[in-house]
Amino acid sequence: MHHILIQKSKANILIIKMIHIILLISLLITTTSNASVQDFCVADIKASDTPAGYPCKAATTVTSDDFAYSGLIEAGNTTNIINAAVTPAFVAQFPALNGLGLSAARLDLGPAGVIPLHTHPGASELLIVKQGHITAGFVSSANTVYIKTLKKGEIMVFPQGLLHFQATAGKRDAVAFAIFSSASPGLQILDFALFASNFSTPLITKTTFLDPVLVKKLKSVLGGSG
Ligand SMILES: *[C@@H]1O[C@H](CO)[C@@H](O)[C@H](O)[C@H]1NC(C)=O
Ligand SMILES: *[C@@H]1O[C@H](CO)[C@@H](O)[C@H](O)[C@H]1NC(C)=O
């Protein structure tokens, strides 16, 4: 009899513990679902972008087509000074990315193609090689250089904000896709910032220690002024 009573109270304690756990879980579920009030916020691209993204277009006007993007099917035109093209699928091109913290791009590299040293101030980048061979690298804040030559199927990561590049390795065209950890990664190309802008030659010379003759030559090639 005594033995049975003890067994019974042990069972009661167990049931009370289980009820506590269930209450805790349901509390967690409610809290989480309250934090996320909507599934998506397809950008109203006619409005202007803000640090918090675009405002949403009305959910009643959203269709399946909003969640797919065909702009990366076609190769970009690589007949240009860098023998390369970057085709973005950022929020401005693919509005469904708004608020989701990711985006993509297609890289086409002709023979001798290069995406010159550049940074994405707002995102880390994951590069996925689809065709050919690509030599890619970045420079860390400690000024250490990390370089790899990648083949089809290989991937490489470029941490947020660091200067990096991609270049064709070998003589064949290369194609890669990039995934970014922001819907608006941003893109600043170092050579264009210096030599395709209106940054004055005396100040470029002063702030970079480059030879003014070289600065003027690069400006004439890239279209800079000042
Ligand atoms: C690629 O760009 C070059 C230079 O702007 C242009 O001459 C050429 O017609 C373009 N090719 C295609 C297929 O659009
Ligand atoms: C560069 O051009 C922009 C727009 O044309 C102008 O607002 C800016 O002041 C110029 N900067 C210099 C240093 O001339």
Side-chain angles (χ1 to χ4, degrees):
M1 183 64 183
H2 187 64
H3 185 70
I4 291 169
L5 264 180
I6 288 171
Q7 289 282 55
K8 238 182 132 179
S9 69
K10 267 190 181 168
N12 282 342
I13 289 168
L14 200 69
I15 287 166
I16 289 166
K17 273 190 178 164
M18 278 173 73
I19 288 169
H20 273 157
I21 290 168
I22 289 164
L23 279 175
L24 205 68
I25 289 171
S26 57
L27 190 74
L28 271 174
I29 290 169
T30 332
T31 323
T32 324
S33 63
N34 281 347
S36 173
V37 293
Q38 54 194 34
D39 293 338
F40 51 78
C41 171
V42 177
D44 175 3
I45 225 77
K46 292 189 295 292
S48 48
D49 202 0
T50 74
Y54 288 87
C56 316
K57 82 179 200 182
T60 49
T61 67
V62 172
T63 71
S64 302
D65 288 344
D66 282 300
F67 298 103
Y69 183 66
S70 307
L72 303 190
I73 295 175
E74 301 281 331
N77 187 342
T78 59
T79 308
N80 54 46
I81 194 166
I82 59 172
N83 294 302
V86 179
T87 310
F90 299 167
V91 67
Q93 294 79 32
F94 186 11
L97 297 177
N98 192 40
L100 299 184
L102 82 173
S103 60
R106 175 183 172 129
L107 270 56
D108 288 284
L109 293 157
V114 61
I115 315 290
L117 268 182
H118 64 279
T119 87
H120 306 286
S124 293
E125 171 178 345
L126 189 66
L127 187 79
I128 306 162
V129 178
K130 192 190 166 227
Q131 180 192 312
H133 292 78
I134 293 175
T135 297
F138 68 88
V139 186
S140 74
S141 301
N143 299 320
T144 304
V145 181
Y146 299 91
I147 293 181
K148 285 290 289 180
T149 294
L150 309 164
K151 59 176 190 282
K152 178 179 171 176
E154 287 190 306
I155 68 176
M156 183 167 178
V157 68
F158 308 93
Q160 180 165 348
L162 300 182
L163 281 167
H164 60 284
F165 70 90
Q166 289 97 13
T168 313
K171 294 185 177 66
R172 289 191 306 128
D173 291 356
V175 180
F177 289 93
I179 308 299
F180 299 94
S181 62
S182 165
S184 298
L187 169 65
Q188 184 168 42
I189 299 176
L190 181 60
D191 276 7
F192 293 5
L194 291 173
F195 311 118
S197 71
N198 60 352
F199 201 169
S200 79
T201 302
L203 270 178
I204 294 180
T205 305
K206 188 169 201 153
T207 56
T208 64
F209 309 105
L210 290 173
D211 187 315
V213 175
L214 177 66
V215 172
K216 284 187 183 136
K217 189 178 158 197
L218 286 165
K219 278 190 171 183
S220 71
V221 175
L222 292 175
S225 61

